Amino acid sequence: MTNIRDVLAMNLKQFRQARGWSQAFLAEKTETSTNYIGMLENSVKFPSSEMVQRLAYALDIDPTDLFLKEINPILTMKKYQKAALEDIQVLLDHLIDEKIKQLEEKSPKNDKD
């Protein structure tokens, strides 16, 4: 049987290392101590639901990703990056369309009398 604490510990460490972050950096981003991050990564402590949310937010992942047994942090990060880029493209397209409308409304009409 899989120990959820061990799965979380392994995933947390892998996601952190995949970003090239130190435990201290993740601790700073989640407003906790380096010691606490170390205890989580060594299965000594288990985070509260609030801390799981903070860790996931800091790592820019879905909280459930911390509990998946078979996960590849690099592929997961790429999936989120791709989704974020798609969202950005939609927003940019919308902003460009809005700007074009504004410019068209301000431009003088070419009436030929």
Side-chain angles (χ1 to χ4, degrees), residues 1 5 19 24-25 37 41 47 49 53 55 57 64 70 72 76 78 83 90 92-93 95 98-99 109 112:
M1 178 175 254
R5 188 180 290 220
R19 284 168 177 69
F25 186 76
I37 298 296
E41 290 185 358
S49 59
Q53 289 282 32
L55 291 164
Y57 181 79
T64 59
E70 303 287 332
N72 181 328
T76 301
K78 287 183 180 184
V90 168
L92 284 173
D93 289 346
L95 288 171
E98 288 298 312
K99 189 63 174 175
K109 304 265 190 243
K112 293 185 179 180

Side-chain angles (χ1 to χ4, degrees), residues 5-15 41 68-69:
R5 188 180 290 220
D6 292 337
V7 171
L8 174 106
M10 179 184 64
N11 287 342
L12 179 60
K13 185 174 185 176
Q14 287 181 349
F15 277 113
E41 290 185 358
L68 297 175
K69 188 174 178 187

Side-chain angles (χ1 to χ4, degrees), residues 59-108:
L59 293 165
D60 195 27
I61 59 173
D62 190 276
T64 59
D65 289 339
L66 290 169
F67 299 98
L68 297 175
K69 188 174 178 187
E70 303 287 332
I71 193 163
N72 181 328
I74 301 294
L75 293 179
T76 301
M77 288 177 7
K78 287 183 180 184
K79 176 182 80 172
Y80 286 119
Q81 288 170 342
K82 182 179 178 185
L85 288 173
E86 290 170 356
D87 289 345
I88 290 169
Q89 185 62 52
V90 168
L91 290 171
L92 284 173
D93 289 346
H94 176 73
L95 288 171
I96 290 169
D97 289 345
E98 288 298 312
K99 189 63 174 175
I100 289 171
K101 284 180 189 175
Q102 288 175 357
L103 291 171
E104 287 174 344
E105 289 171 0
K106 289 182 181 180
S107 68

Side-chain angles (χ1 to χ4, degrees), residues 3 16 28 32 39 41 43 47 52 61 70 76 86 105:
N3 181 333
R16 178 183 60 76
E28 184 179 317
T32 191
M39 289 189 291
E41 290 185 358
S43 300
V52 168
I61 59 173
E70 303 287 332
T76 301
E86 290 170 356
E105 289 171 0

